[in-house]
PDB file of all heavy atoms in Angstrom:
ATOM      1  N   LEU A 138    -175.263  24.439 201.941  1.00  0.00           N
ATOM      2  CA  LEU A 138    -176.049  24.012 200.820  1.00  0.00           C
ATOM      3  C   LEU A 138    -177.509  24.333 201.110  1.00  0.00           C
ATOM      4  O   LEU A 138    -178.041  23.878 202.144  1.00  0.00           O
ATOM      5  CB  LEU A 138    -175.819  22.483 200.635  1.00  0.00           C
ATOM      6  CG  LEU A 138    -176.492  21.867 199.403  1.00  0.00           C
ATOM      7  CD1 LEU A 138    -175.883  22.372 198.129  1.00  0.00           C
ATOM      8  CD2 LEU A 138    -176.323  20.352 199.453  1.00  0.00           C
ATOM      9  N   ILE A 139    -178.118  25.048 200.188  1.00  0.00           N
ATOM     10  CA  ILE A 139    -179.560  25.464 200.408  1.00  0.00           C
ATOM     11  C   ILE A 139    -180.393  24.854 199.330  1.00  0.00           C
ATOM     12  O   ILE A 139    -180.141  25.092 198.132  1.00  0.00           O
ATOM     13  CB  ILE A 139    -179.686  27.016 200.452  1.00  0.00           C
ATOM     14  CG1 ILE A 139    -178.746  27.534 201.555  1.00  0.00           C
ATOM     15  CG2 ILE A 139    -181.120  27.404 200.736  1.00  0.00           C
ATOM     16  CD1 ILE A 139    -178.233  28.937 201.283  1.00  0.00           C
ATOM     17  N   GLY A 140    -181.383  24.110 199.721  1.00  0.00           N
ATOM     18  CA  GLY A 140    -182.312  23.456 198.707  1.00  0.00           C
ATOM     19  C   GLY A 140    -183.407  24.438 198.301  1.00  0.00           C
ATOM     20  O   GLY A 140    -184.030  25.150 199.145  1.00  0.00           O
ATOM     21  N   HIS A 141    -183.675  24.506 197.022  1.00  0.00           N
ATOM     22  CA  HIS A 141    -184.811  25.311 196.502  1.00  0.00           C
ATOM     23  C   HIS A 141    -185.541  24.350 195.531  1.00  0.00           C
ATOM     24  O   HIS A 141    -185.010  23.481 194.953  1.00  0.00           O
ATOM     25  CB  HIS A 141    -184.299  26.469 195.673  1.00  0.00           C
ATOM     26  CG  HIS A 141    -183.492  27.524 196.432  1.00  0.00           C
ATOM     27  ND1 HIS A 141    -184.048  28.702 196.875  1.00  0.00           N
ATOM     28  CD2 HIS A 141    -182.207  27.564 196.784  1.00  0.00           C
ATOM     29  CE1 HIS A 141    -183.133  29.452 197.491  1.00  0.00           C
ATOM     30  NE2 HIS A 141    -182.007  28.745 197.452  1.00  0.00           N
ATOM     31  N   GLN A 142    -186.844  24.718 195.360  1.00  0.00           N
ATOM     32  CA  GLN A 142    -187.600  24.026 194.303  1.00  0.00           C
ATOM     33  C   GLN A 142    -187.179  24.595 192.963  1.00  0.00           C
ATOM     34  O   GLN A 142    -187.504  25.744 192.713  1.00  0.00           O
ATOM     35  CB  GLN A 142    -189.084  24.185 194.506  1.00  0.00           C
ATOM     36  CG  GLN A 142    -189.624  23.301 195.611  1.00  0.00           C
ATOM     37  CD  GLN A 142    -191.133  23.543 195.795  1.00  0.00           C
ATOM     38  OE1 GLN A 142    -191.587  24.646 195.868  1.00  0.00           O
ATOM     39  NE2 GLN A 142    -191.903  22.448 195.934  1.00  0.00           N
ATOM     40  N   TRP A 143    -186.407  24.051 192.050  1.00  0.00           N
ATOM     41  CA  TRP A 143    -185.704  22.800 192.142  1.00  0.00           C
ATOM     42  C   TRP A 143    -184.311  22.943 191.729  1.00  0.00           C
ATOM     43  O   TRP A 143    -183.919  22.679 190.591  1.00  0.00           O
ATOM     44  CB  TRP A 143    -186.454  21.735 191.289  1.00  0.00           C
ATOM     45  CG  TRP A 143    -187.839  21.439 191.792  1.00  0.00           C
ATOM     46  CD1 TRP A 143    -188.121  20.526 192.751  1.00  0.00           C
ATOM     47  CD2 TRP A 143    -189.068  22.061 191.468  1.00  0.00           C
ATOM     48  NE1 TRP A 143    -189.500  20.489 193.017  1.00  0.00           N
ATOM     49  CE2 TRP A 143    -190.091  21.473 192.247  1.00  0.00           C
ATOM     50  CE3 TRP A 143    -189.401  23.064 190.568  1.00  0.00           C
ATOM     51  CZ2 TRP A 143    -191.443  21.841 192.123  1.00  0.00           C
ATOM     52  CZ3 TRP A 143    -190.751  23.434 190.525  1.00  0.00           C
ATOM     53  CH2 TRP A 143    -191.733  22.806 191.252  1.00  0.00           C
ATOM     54  N   TRP A 144    -183.519  23.488 192.633  1.00  0.00           N
ATOM     55  CA  TRP A 144    -182.081  23.709 192.363  1.00  0.00           C
ATOM     56  C   TRP A 144    -181.361  23.850 193.713  1.00  0.00           C
ATOM     57  O   TRP A 144    -181.989  23.961 194.752  1.00  0.00           O
ATOM     58  CB  TRP A 144    -181.881  24.909 191.463  1.00  0.00           C
ATOM     59  CG  TRP A 144    -182.402  26.238 192.061  1.00  0.00           C
ATOM     60  CD1 TRP A 144    -183.751  26.636 192.032  1.00  0.00           C
ATOM     61  CD2 TRP A 144    -181.701  27.304 192.686  1.00  0.00           C
ATOM     62  NE1 TRP A 144    -183.843  27.901 192.605  1.00  0.00           N
ATOM     63  CE2 TRP A 144    -182.610  28.324 193.031  1.00  0.00           C
ATOM     64  CE3 TRP A 144    -180.355  27.505 193.016  1.00  0.00           C
ATOM     65  CZ2 TRP A 144    -182.297  29.433 193.707  1.00  0.00           C
ATOM     66  CZ3 TRP A 144    -180.023  28.655 193.660  1.00  0.00           C
ATOM     67  CH2 TRP A 144    -180.964  29.633 193.974  1.00  0.00           C
ATOM     68  N   TRP A 145    -180.029  23.786 193.642  1.00  0.00           N
ATOM     69  CA  TRP A 145    -179.212  23.846 194.844  1.00  0.00           C
ATOM     70  C   TRP A 145    -178.420  25.139 194.853  1.00  0.00           C
ATOM     71  O   TRP A 145    -177.739  25.460 193.872  1.00  0.00           O
ATOM     72  CB  TRP A 145    -178.228  22.693 194.867  1.00  0.00           C
ATOM     73  CG  TRP A 145    -178.835  21.352 194.809  1.00  0.00           C
ATOM     74  CD1 TRP A 145    -179.068  20.588 193.704  1.00  0.00           C
ATOM     75  CD2 TRP A 145    -179.279  20.541 195.901  1.00  0.00           C
ATOM     76  NE1 TRP A 145    -179.615  19.390 194.040  1.00  0.00           N
ATOM     77  CE2 TRP A 145    -179.782  19.301 195.375  1.00  0.00           C
ATOM     78  CE3 TRP A 145    -179.337  20.761 197.286  1.00  0.00           C
ATOM     79  CZ2 TRP A 145    -180.279  18.305 196.186  1.00  0.00           C
ATOM     80  CZ3 TRP A 145    -179.852  19.730 198.055  1.00  0.00           C
ATOM     81  CH2 TRP A 145    -180.299  18.551 197.487  1.00  0.00           C
ATOM     82  N   GLU A 146    -178.411  25.906 195.959  1.00  0.00           N
ATOM     83  CA  GLU A 146    -177.574  27.027 196.151  1.00  0.00           C
ATOM     84  C   GLU A 146    -176.422  26.643 196.995  1.00  0.00           C
ATOM     85  O   GLU A 146    -176.570  25.956 198.010  1.00  0.00           O
ATOM     86  CB  GLU A 146    -178.437  28.143 196.837  1.00  0.00           C
ATOM     87  CG  GLU A 146    -177.668  29.453 197.072  1.00  0.00           C
ATOM     88  CD  GLU A 146    -178.554  30.469 197.738  1.00  0.00           C
ATOM     89  OE1 GLU A 146    -179.806  30.279 197.847  1.00  0.00           O
ATOM     90  OE2 GLU A 146    -177.990  31.483 198.203  1.00  0.00           O
ATOM     91  N   LEU A 173    -176.862  22.043 205.886  1.00  0.00           N
ATOM     92  CA  LEU A 173    -177.950  21.903 204.979  1.00  0.00           C
ATOM     93  C   LEU A 173    -179.180  22.663 205.461  1.00  0.00           C
ATOM     94  O   LEU A 173    -179.612  22.473 206.585  1.00  0.00           O
ATOM     95  CB  LEU A 173    -178.278  20.399 204.923  1.00  0.00           C
ATOM     96  CG  LEU A 173    -177.147  19.479 204.485  1.00  0.00           C
ATOM     97  CD1 LEU A 173    -177.389  18.047 204.916  1.00  0.00           C
ATOM     98  CD2 LEU A 173    -176.919  19.531 202.975  1.00  0.00           C
ATOM     99  N   ARG A 174    -179.638  23.554 204.543  1.00  0.00           N
ATOM    100  CA  ARG A 174    -180.897  24.289 204.852  1.00  0.00           C
ATOM    101  C   ARG A 174    -181.802  24.179 203.678  1.00  0.00           C
ATOM    102  O   ARG A 174    -181.382  23.876 202.572  1.00  0.00           O
ATOM    103  CB  ARG A 174    -180.556  25.772 205.089  1.00  0.00           C
ATOM    104  CG  ARG A 174    -179.809  26.063 206.385  1.00  0.00           C
ATOM    105  CD  ARG A 174    -179.910  27.519 206.731  1.00  0.00           C
ATOM    106  NE  ARG A 174    -179.093  28.385 205.872  1.00  0.00           N
ATOM    107  CZ  ARG A 174    -179.600  29.321 205.129  1.00  0.00           C
ATOM    108  NH1 ARG A 174    -180.875  29.579 205.102  1.00  0.00           N
ATOM    109  NH2 ARG A 174    -178.777  30.081 204.344  1.00  0.00           N
ATOM    110  N   THR A 175    -183.076  24.485 203.876  1.00  0.00           N
ATOM    111  CA  THR A 175    -184.003  24.541 202.768  1.00  0.00           C
ATOM    112  C   THR A 175    -184.724  25.887 202.719  1.00  0.00           C
ATOM    113  O   THR A 175    -185.039  26.389 203.767  1.00  0.00           O
ATOM    114  CB  THR A 175    -185.023  23.353 202.787  1.00  0.00           C
ATOM    115  OG1 THR A 175    -186.002  23.642 201.737  1.00  0.00           O
ATOM    116  CG2 THR A 175    -185.724  23.216 204.114  1.00  0.00           C
ATOM    117  N   ALA A 176    -184.979  26.367 201.568  1.00  0.00           N
ATOM    118  CA  ALA A 176    -185.694  27.650 201.385  1.00  0.00           C
ATOM    119  C   ALA A 176    -187.221  27.408 201.266  1.00  0.00           C
ATOM    120  O   ALA A 176    -187.968  28.353 201.348  1.00  0.00           O
ATOM    121  CB  ALA A 176    -185.202  28.400 200.145  1.00  0.00           C
ATOM    122  N   ASP A 177    -187.604  26.199 201.086  1.00  0.00           N
ATOM    123  CA  ASP A 177    -189.025  25.909 200.938  1.00  0.00           C
ATOM    124  C   ASP A 177    -189.405  24.585 201.531  1.00  0.00           C
ATOM    125  O   ASP A 177    -189.591  24.499 202.737  1.00  0.00           O
ATOM    126  CB  ASP A 177    -189.423  25.994 199.426  1.00  0.00           C
ATOM    127  CG  ASP A 177    -188.356  25.462 198.514  1.00  0.00           C
ATOM    128  OD1 ASP A 177    -187.963  24.305 198.707  1.00  0.00           O
ATOM    129  OD2 ASP A 177    -187.918  26.194 197.591  1.00  0.00           O
ATOM    130  N   VAL A 178    -189.473  23.550 200.740  1.00  0.00           N
ATOM    131  CA  VAL A 178    -189.965  22.244 201.250  1.00  0.00           C
ATOM    132  C   VAL A 178    -188.790  21.381 201.643  1.00  0.00           C
ATOM    133  O   VAL A 178    -187.635  21.782 201.504  1.00  0.00           O
ATOM    134  CB  VAL A 178    -190.839  21.532 200.195  1.00  0.00           C
ATOM    135  CG1 VAL A 178    -192.035  22.359 199.828  1.00  0.00           C
ATOM    136  CG2 VAL A 178    -190.015  21.206 198.979  1.00  0.00           C
ATOM    137  N   GLN A 179    -189.056  20.194 202.089  1.00  0.00           N
ATOM    138  CA  GLN A 179    -188.004  19.261 202.479  1.00  0.00           C
ATOM    139  C   GLN A 179    -187.330  18.637 201.254  1.00  0.00           C
ATOM    140  O   GLN A 179    -187.961  18.195 200.311  1.00  0.00           O
ATOM    141  CB  GLN A 179    -188.631  18.117 203.317  1.00  0.00           C
ATOM    142  CG  GLN A 179    -187.561  17.294 204.056  1.00  0.00           C
ATOM    143  CD  GLN A 179    -188.145  16.615 205.311  1.00  0.00           C
ATOM    144  OE1 GLN A 179    -188.939  17.254 206.027  1.00  0.00           O
ATOM    145  NE2 GLN A 179    -187.723  15.475 205.594  1.00  0.00           N
ATOM    146  N   HIS A 180    -185.972  18.616 201.256  1.00  0.00           N
ATOM    147  CA  HIS A 180    -185.194  17.970 200.224  1.00  0.00           C
ATOM    148  C   HIS A 180    -184.269  17.004 200.930  1.00  0.00           C
ATOM    149  O   HIS A 180    -184.197  16.936 202.154  1.00  0.00           O
ATOM    150  CB  HIS A 180    -184.400  18.963 199.404  1.00  0.00           C
ATOM    151  CG  HIS A 180    -185.214  20.116 198.825  1.00  0.00           C
ATOM    152  ND1 HIS A 180    -185.776  20.040 197.583  1.00  0.00           N
ATOM    153  CD2 HIS A 180    -185.558  21.336 199.313  1.00  0.00           C
ATOM    154  CE1 HIS A 180    -186.452  21.181 197.330  1.00  0.00           C
ATOM    155  NE2 HIS A 180    -186.316  21.967 198.365  1.00  0.00           N
ATOM    156  N   SER A 181    -183.491  16.268 200.126  1.00  0.00           N
ATOM    157  CA  SER A 181    -182.535  15.353 200.741  1.00  0.00           C
ATOM    158  C   SER A 181    -181.282  15.321 199.878  1.00  0.00           C
ATOM    159  O   SER A 181    -181.325  15.188 198.650  1.00  0.00           O
ATOM    160  CB  SER A 181    -183.119  13.928 200.859  1.00  0.00           C
ATOM    161  OG  SER A 181    -182.191  13.117 201.515  1.00  0.00           O
ATOM    162  N   ASP A 192    -181.275  14.741 205.171  1.00  0.00           N
ATOM    163  CA  ASP A 192    -182.416  15.585 204.809  1.00  0.00           C
ATOM    164  C   ASP A 192    -182.131  17.063 205.048  1.00  0.00           C
ATOM    165  O   ASP A 192    -181.393  17.387 205.950  1.00  0.00           O
ATOM    166  CB  ASP A 192    -183.647  15.163 205.610  1.00  0.00           C
ATOM    167  CG  ASP A 192    -184.274  13.886 205.023  1.00  0.00           C
ATOM    168  OD1 ASP A 192    -183.765  13.423 203.991  1.00  0.00           O
ATOM    169  OD2 ASP A 192    -185.240  13.411 205.589  1.00  0.00           O
ATOM    170  N   LEU A 193    -182.744  17.877 204.198  1.00  0.00           N
ATOM    171  CA  LEU A 193    -182.796  19.343 204.462  1.00  0.00           C
ATOM    172  C   LEU A 193    -184.185  19.653 204.955  1.00  0.00           C
ATOM    173  O   LEU A 193    -185.188  19.470 204.286  1.00  0.00           O
ATOM    174  CB  LEU A 193    -182.581  20.094 203.135  1.00  0.00           C
ATOM    175  CG  LEU A 193    -181.159  20.083 202.510  1.00  0.00           C
ATOM    176  CD1 LEU A 193    -180.836  18.730 201.883  1.00  0.00           C
ATOM    177  CD2 LEU A 193    -181.014  21.176 201.423  1.00  0.00           C
ATOM    178  N   ILE A 194    -184.255  20.052 206.257  1.00  0.00           N
ATOM    179  CA  ILE A 194    -185.503  20.174 206.934  1.00  0.00           C
ATOM    180  C   ILE A 194    -185.864  21.614 207.191  1.00  0.00           C
ATOM    181  O   ILE A 194    -185.014  22.393 207.671  1.00  0.00           O
ATOM    182  CB  ILE A 194    -185.452  19.364 208.301  1.00  0.00           C
ATOM    183  CG1 ILE A 194    -185.117  17.902 207.982  1.00  0.00           C
ATOM    184  CG2 ILE A 194    -186.792  19.487 209.042  1.00  0.00           C
ATOM    185  CD1 ILE A 194    -184.620  17.134 209.175  1.00  0.00           C
ATOM    186  N   ALA A 195    -187.108  22.018 206.886  1.00  0.00           N
ATOM    187  CA  ALA A 195    -187.580  23.348 207.067  1.00  0.00           C
ATOM    188  C   ALA A 195    -187.383  23.817 208.499  1.00  0.00           C
ATOM    189  O   ALA A 195    -187.729  23.104 209.453  1.00  0.00           O
ATOM    190  CB  ALA A 195    -189.013  23.511 206.630  1.00  0.00           C
ATOM    191  N   GLY A 196    -186.780  25.008 208.666  1.00  0.00           N
ATOM    192  CA  GLY A 196    -186.602  25.613 209.972  1.00  0.00           C
ATOM    193  C   GLY A 196    -185.464  25.010 210.791  1.00  0.00           C
ATOM    194  O   GLY A 196    -185.334  25.300 211.979  1.00  0.00           O
ATOM    195  N   LYS A 197    -184.642  24.201 210.142  1.00  0.00           N
ATOM    196  CA  LYS A 197    -183.553  23.547 210.887  1.00  0.00           C
ATOM    197  C   LYS A 197    -182.296  23.536 210.029  1.00  0.00           C
ATOM    198  O   LYS A 197    -182.372  23.521 208.811  1.00  0.00           O
ATOM    199  CB  LYS A 197    -183.987  22.102 211.139  1.00  0.00           C
ATOM    200  CG  LYS A 197    -183.077  21.299 211.993  1.00  0.00           C
ATOM    201  CD  LYS A 197    -183.751  19.931 212.305  1.00  0.00           C
ATOM    202  CE  LYS A 197    -182.733  18.813 212.600  1.00  0.00           C
ATOM    203  NZ  LYS A 197    -181.897  19.016 213.744  1.00  0.00           N
ATOM    204  N   CYS A 215    -181.238  15.085 194.589  1.00  0.00           N
ATOM    205  CA  CYS A 215    -182.189  15.228 195.649  1.00  0.00           C
ATOM    206  C   CYS A 215    -182.849  13.873 195.825  1.00  0.00           C
ATOM    207  O   CYS A 215    -183.311  13.316 194.862  1.00  0.00           O
ATOM    208  CB  CYS A 215    -183.186  16.313 195.297  1.00  0.00           C
ATOM    209  SG  CYS A 215    -184.427  16.473 196.629  1.00  0.00           S
ATOM    210  N   GLU A 217    -185.420  13.254 198.131  1.00  0.00           N
ATOM    211  CA  GLU A 217    -186.717  13.324 198.864  1.00  0.00           C
ATOM    212  C   GLU A 217    -187.691  13.998 197.903  1.00  0.00           C
ATOM    213  O   GLU A 217    -187.442  15.077 197.399  1.00  0.00           O
ATOM    214  CB  GLU A 217    -186.504  14.176 200.080  1.00  0.00           C
ATOM    215  CG  GLU A 217    -187.757  14.393 200.932  1.00  0.00           C
ATOM    216  CD  GLU A 217    -187.987  13.285 201.962  1.00  0.00           C
ATOM    217  OE1 GLU A 217    -186.998  12.727 202.442  1.00  0.00           O
ATOM    218  OE2 GLU A 217    -189.140  12.986 202.211  1.00  0.00           O
ATOM    219  N   TYR A 218    -188.797  13.362 197.639  1.00  0.00           N
ATOM    220  CA  TYR A 218    -189.760  13.897 196.698  1.00  0.00           C
ATOM    221  C   TYR A 218    -190.139  15.302 197.151  1.00  0.00           C
ATOM    222  O   TYR A 218    -190.624  15.521 198.242  1.00  0.00           O
ATOM    223  CB  TYR A 218    -190.985  13.023 196.514  1.00  0.00           C
ATOM    224  CG  TYR A 218    -191.938  13.637 195.514  1.00  0.00           C
ATOM    225  CD1 TYR A 218    -191.637  13.648 194.157  1.00  0.00           C
ATOM    226  CD2 TYR A 218    -193.091  14.311 195.918  1.00  0.00           C
ATOM    227  CE1 TYR A 218    -192.512  14.261 193.260  1.00  0.00           C
ATOM    228  CE2 TYR A 218    -193.960  14.889 195.011  1.00  0.00           C
ATOM    229  CZ  TYR A 218    -193.630  14.857 193.711  1.00  0.00           C
ATOM    230  OH  TYR A 218    -194.464  15.479 192.765  1.00  0.00           O
ATOM    231  N   CYS A 219    -189.928  16.331 196.261  1.00  0.00           N
ATOM    232  CA  CYS A 219    -190.121  17.721 196.668  1.00  0.00           C
ATOM    233  C   CYS A 219    -190.955  18.509 195.643  1.00  0.00           C
ATOM    234  O   CYS A 219    -190.883  19.738 195.617  1.00  0.00           O
ATOM    235  CB  CYS A 219    -188.748  18.401 196.851  1.00  0.00           C
ATOM    236  SG  CYS A 219    -187.689  18.220 195.395  1.00  0.00           S
ATOM    237  N   GLY A 220    -191.705  17.756 194.837  1.00  0.00           N
ATOM    238  CA  GLY A 220    -192.588  18.475 193.899  1.00  0.00           C
ATOM    239  C   GLY A 220    -192.312  18.011 192.472  1.00  0.00           C
ATOM    240  O   GLY A 220    -191.566  17.077 192.213  1.00  0.00           O
ATOM    241  N   LYS A 221    -192.954  18.746 191.572  1.00  0.00           N
ATOM    242  CA  LYS A 221    -193.058  18.316 190.169  1.00  0.00           C
ATOM    243  C   LYS A 221    -191.658  18.022 189.519  1.00  0.00           C
ATOM    244  O   LYS A 221    -191.503  17.038 188.758  1.00  0.00           O
ATOM    245  CB  LYS A 221    -193.751  19.422 189.404  1.00  0.00           C
ATOM    246  CG  LYS A 221    -194.222  19.046 188.027  1.00  0.00           C
ATOM    247  CD  LYS A 221    -195.057  20.168 187.436  1.00  0.00           C
ATOM    248  CE  LYS A 221    -195.509  19.768 186.036  1.00  0.00           C
ATOM    249  NZ  LYS A 221    -196.329  20.869 185.435  1.00  0.00           N
ATOM    250  N   GLN A 222    -190.664  18.834 189.805  1.00  0.00           N
ATOM    251  CA  GLN A 222    -189.396  18.646 189.150  1.00  0.00           C
ATOM    252  C   GLN A 222    -188.327  18.062 190.079  1.00  0.00           C
ATOM    253  O   GLN A 222    -187.141  18.343 189.967  1.00  0.00           O
ATOM    254  CB  GLN A 222    -188.885  19.973 188.553  1.00  0.00           C
ATOM    255  CG  GLN A 222    -189.713  20.421 187.345  1.00  0.00           C
ATOM    256  CD  GLN A 222    -189.597  19.497 186.202  1.00  0.00           C
ATOM    257  OE1 GLN A 222    -188.696  18.625 186.123  1.00  0.00           O
ATOM    258  NE2 GLN A 222    -190.475  19.588 185.194  1.00  0.00           N
ATOM    259  N   HIS A 223    -188.773  17.252 191.063  1.00  0.00           N
ATOM    260  CA  HIS A 223    -187.812  16.576 191.972  1.00  0.00           C
ATOM    261  C   HIS A 223    -186.719  15.814 191.201  1.00  0.00           C
ATOM    262  O   HIS A 223    -185.556  15.846 191.602  1.00  0.00           O
ATOM    263  CB  HIS A 223    -188.645  15.598 192.854  1.00  0.00           C
ATOM    264  CG  HIS A 223    -187.864  14.494 193.368  1.00  0.00           C
ATOM    265  ND1 HIS A 223    -186.932  14.655 194.415  1.00  0.00           N
ATOM    266  CD2 HIS A 223    -187.855  13.158 193.078  1.00  0.00           C
ATOM    267  CE1 HIS A 223    -186.397  13.438 194.690  1.00  0.00           C
ATOM    268  NE2 HIS A 223    -186.968  12.557 193.937  1.00  0.00           N
ATOM    269  N   MET A 226    -183.336  17.757 190.020  1.00  0.00           N
ATOM    270  CA  MET A 226    -182.677  18.489 191.124  1.00  0.00           C
ATOM    271  C   MET A 226    -181.390  17.802 191.370  1.00  0.00           C
ATOM    272  O   MET A 226    -181.201  17.161 192.430  1.00  0.00           O
ATOM    273  CB  MET A 226    -183.633  18.576 192.322  1.00  0.00           C
ATOM    274  CG  MET A 226    -183.106  19.556 193.324  1.00  0.00           C
ATOM    275  SD  MET A 226    -184.317  19.970 194.558  1.00  0.00           S
ATOM    276  CE  MET A 226    -183.211  20.784 195.754  1.00  0.00           C
ATOM    277  N   THR A 283    -182.477  37.800 194.003  1.00  0.00           N
ATOM    278  CA  THR A 283    -182.139  36.665 194.874  1.00  0.00           C
ATOM    279  C   THR A 283    -183.125  35.524 194.718  1.00  0.00           C
ATOM    280  O   THR A 283    -183.060  34.525 195.465  1.00  0.00           O
ATOM    281  CB  THR A 283    -182.022  37.075 196.361  1.00  0.00           C
ATOM    282  OG1 THR A 283    -183.275  37.685 196.713  1.00  0.00           O
ATOM    283  CG2 THR A 283    -180.888  38.034 196.573  1.00  0.00           C
ATOM    284  N   VAL A 284    -184.069  35.659 193.766  1.00  0.00           N
ATOM    285  CA  VAL A 284    -185.085  34.621 193.666  1.00  0.00           C
ATOM    286  C   VAL A 284    -184.513  33.367 192.931  1.00  0.00           C
ATOM    287  O   VAL A 284    -184.706  32.247 193.412  1.00  0.00           O
ATOM    288  CB  VAL A 284    -186.276  35.134 192.798  1.00  0.00           C
ATOM    289  CG1 VAL A 284    -187.297  34.008 192.626  1.00  0.00           C
ATOM    290  CG2 VAL A 284    -186.885  36.316 193.533  1.00  0.00           C
ATOM    291  N   GLY A 285    -183.684  33.601 191.920  1.00  0.00           N
ATOM    292  CA  GLY A 285    -183.107  32.467 191.162  1.00  0.00           C
ATOM    293  C   GLY A 285    -181.626  32.321 191.504  1.00  0.00           C
ATOM    294  O   GLY A 285    -181.085  33.090 192.305  1.00  0.00           O
ATOM    295  N   PRO A 286    -180.997  31.365 190.867  1.00  0.00           N
ATOM    296  CA  PRO A 286    -179.565  31.156 191.098  1.00  0.00           C
ATOM    297  C   PRO A 286    -178.668  32.341 190.774  1.00  0.00           C
ATOM    298  O   PRO A 286    -178.950  33.093 189.826  1.00  0.00           O
ATOM    299  CB  PRO A 286    -179.215  29.967 190.156  1.00  0.00           C
ATOM    300  CG  PRO A 286    -180.527  29.366 189.830  1.00  0.00           C
ATOM    301  CD  PRO A 286    -181.545  30.434 189.914  1.00  0.00           C
ATOM    302  N   GLY A 322    -193.060  23.822 185.179  1.00  0.00           N
ATOM    303  CA  GLY A 322    -193.393  24.050 186.578  1.00  0.00           C
ATOM    304  C   GLY A 322    -192.325  24.796 187.348  1.00  0.00           C
ATOM    305  O   GLY A 322    -192.552  25.222 188.466  1.00  0.00           O
ATOM    306  N   ASN A 323    -191.147  24.992 186.711  1.00  0.00           N
ATOM    307  CA  ASN A 323    -190.117  25.698 187.448  1.00  0.00           C
ATOM    308  C   ASN A 323    -190.548  27.174 187.540  1.00  0.00           C
ATOM    309  O   ASN A 323    -191.437  27.616 186.848  1.00  0.00           O
ATOM    310  CB  ASN A 323    -188.749  25.597 186.719  1.00  0.00           C
ATOM    311  CG  ASN A 323    -188.516  26.612 185.696  1.00  0.00           C
ATOM    312  OD1 ASN A 323    -188.139  27.744 185.894  1.00  0.00           O
ATOM    313  ND2 ASN A 323    -188.751  26.179 184.434  1.00  0.00           N
ATOM    314  N   TYR A 324    -189.876  27.919 188.468  1.00  0.00           N
ATOM    315  CA  TYR A 324    -190.461  29.231 188.821  1.00  0.00           C
ATOM    316  C   TYR A 324    -189.987  30.379 187.893  1.00  0.00           C
ATOM    317  O   TYR A 324    -190.157  31.542 188.246  1.00  0.00           O
ATOM    318  CB  TYR A 324    -190.189  29.545 190.294  1.00  0.00           C
ATOM    319  CG  TYR A 324    -190.949  28.621 191.212  1.00  0.00           C
ATOM    320  CD1 TYR A 324    -190.329  27.841 192.159  1.00  0.00           C
ATOM    321  CD2 TYR A 324    -192.326  28.498 191.064  1.00  0.00           C
ATOM    322  CE1 TYR A 324    -191.031  26.957 192.953  1.00  0.00           C
ATOM    323  CE2 TYR A 324    -193.054  27.631 191.864  1.00  0.00           C
ATOM    324  CZ  TYR A 324    -192.406  26.854 192.818  1.00  0.00           C
ATOM    325  OH  TYR A 324    -193.120  25.991 193.580  1.00  0.00           O
TER     326      TYR A 324
END
Side-chain angles (χ1 to χ4, degrees):
L138 186 66
I139 303 151
H141 296 261
Q142 283 178 314
W143 293 274
W144 57 282
W145 302 94
E146 182 179 348
L173 303 160
R174 289 196 288 119
T175 170
D177 36 56
V178 300
Q179 192 154 325
H180 306 271
S181 183
D192 283 358
L193 289 74
I194 301 162
K197 185 174 155 60
C215 178
E217 178 86 32
Y218 180 73
C219 54
K221 195 172 181 181
Q222 290 296 344
H223 155 72
M226 191 166 166
T283 55
V284 178
N323 87 81
Y324 293 125

